[in-house]
Amino acid sequence: MIPYYEDEWVALYHGDFRDVLPALGVTADLLIADPPYGETSLSWDSWPAGWPTALRPFGKSLWCFGSMRMFLDRRDEFTGWRMSQDVVWEKHNGSGFAADRFKRVHEHALHWYRTDAAWSEIHHQTPTTGDETARQVRRKTRPPHTGNVNTSAYESHDGGPRLMRSVIYSRSMHGRAINETEKPVALLDPLIGYGCPPGGLVVDPFAGSASTLVAARQAGRRAIGVELRESQCEAAAERLSHMPLELAT
Ligand SMILES: C[S@@+](CC[C@H](N)C(=O)[O-])C[C@H]1O[C@@H](n2cnc3c(N)ncnc32)[C@H](O)[C@@H]1O
């Protein structure tokens, strides 16, 4: 199978991921899926039925973008996946369609792992802020309502690293995007750092603008993306070929 774009870190394939991934026979350290949510009547916004099951053979760990409505409506399709946590992407502008509700300035990314895998098998790098020298951090006592969580409790020490917050602010790509729902590299970076070891392989079945591939490459991870629309592949390949490879670490 010939990639639409390829360099030493990433490859982009044109087609339906349900055809491309079996043909490649890949196993990802981390899957990142940003499916069409199927919430509008726009021609590209069509939910590929059964995709969470179709993606299951290709990795055990999955970040999936979506809205709360999408995850509730589609919850049965995530059979075979167990949710580990949710992260909120806070944007600078809104994407809501209703004029009589709160202005919606966020989306979710849920982390799932396969039900046939133990959590200990899933690569997860404790997400810390990396600013441990910048401020004092107090050792915290656990609040009583958390019960007996000693085995997984994270203890921060004075001056030590703090856990990253689960709400990640990043400007949306509004006005500079090449995909209708393009995700910023700054948002993808911590998700990739969390779920994929350095040098590991990220697979994105709904590659769109190739933001995942750009973020993976910059973070020193390999990546494979699949995109159904040729016009998107063309724009993504253009983007990938103009980003200097020296950015990869
Ligand atoms: C929500 S967008 C992804 C945006 C992407 N995360 C980005 O940052 O640019 C979903 C993409 O999946 C593509 N798509 C839909 N069904 C697909 C399929 N079965 N296989 C591969 N790509 C598909 C659509 O053409 C669309 O570009």
Side-chain angles (χ1 to χ4, degrees):
M1 181 158 270
I2 299 169
Y4 200 93
Y5 171 91
E6 188 175 32
D7 62 41
E8 61 176 301
W9 291 92
V10 305
L12 175 67
Y13 290 85
H14 172 218
D16 188 314
F17 85 86
R18 292 167 288 201
D19 302 324
V20 174
L21 294 184
L24 295 177
V26 290
T27 302
D29 293 289
L30 177 66
L31 300 159
I32 297 192
D34 182 17
Y37 300 178
E39 291 179 340
T40 69
S41 56
L42 298 167
S43 61
W44 57 267
D45 189 16
S46 168
W47 174 268
W51 73 260
T53 301
L55 196 57
R56 225 172 153 268
F58 305 104
K60 293 180 177 173
S61 175
L62 163 71
W63 279 112
C64 179
F65 286 98
S67 64
M68 180 69 87
R69 183 186 299 278
M70 181 205 99
F71 284 114
L72 288 173
D73 286 351
R74 308 286 184 181
R75 63 188 177 282
D76 291 343
E77 296 206 35
F78 286 86
T79 302
W81 293 98
R82 184 182 293 126
M83 190 189 137
S84 83
Q85 62 196 298
D86 59 308
V87 161
V88 171
W89 169 29
E90 183 191 0
K91 314 183 236 190
H92 76 285
N93 61 350
S95 60
F97 304 112
D100 59 350
R101 304 180 195 179
F102 287 90
K103 182 174 171 178
R104 193 159 168 275
V105 291
H106 72 280
E107 284 179 47
H108 285 86
L110 267 53
H111 182 251
W112 304 81
Y113 64 108
R114 270 193 354 214
T115 47
D116 61 347
W119 180 239
S120 56
E121 291 173 49
I122 305 299
H123 176 87
H124 54 286
Q125 175 67 43
T126 302
T128 53
T129 56
D131 63 349
E132 52 270 30
T133 53
R135 51 155 47 206
Q136 287 283 303
V137 180
R138 291 205 167 74
R139 181 179 283 127
K140 297 170 195 74
T141 52
R142 227 167 0 92
H145 70 267
T146 56
N148 183 19
V149 292
N150 281 340
T151 49
S152 63
Y154 178 77
E155 213 176 66
S156 63
H157 297 269
D158 282 354
R162 292 175 303 149
L163 283 180
M164 223 180 136
R165 291 163 59 89
S166 61
V167 176
I168 301 175
Y169 175 81
S170 176
R171 286 184 69 81
S172 79
M173 298 301 292
H174 187 72
R176 55 199 168 121
I178 58 175
N179 181 277
E180 298 84 353
T181 63
E182 188 168 323
K183 302 298 175 287
V185 168
L187 170 67
L188 290 158
D189 181 68
L191 306 186
I192 291 172
Y194 179 77
C196 184
L201 178 67
V202 179
V203 168
D204 182 345
F206 304 109
S209 68
S211 281
T212 299
L213 276 57
V214 171
R217 192 170 71 177
Q218 288 187 17
R221 273 76 171 170
R222 295 169 294 121
I224 291 174
V226 188
E227 171 53 47
L228 193 57
R229 286 178 295 165
E230 187 162 13
S231 57
Q232 274 296 295
C233 289
E234 206 179 326
E238 172 85 1
R239 176 184 186 192
L240 286 163
S241 58
H242 283 100
M243 296 280 295
L245 279 180
E246 301 84 71
L247 284 177
T249 51

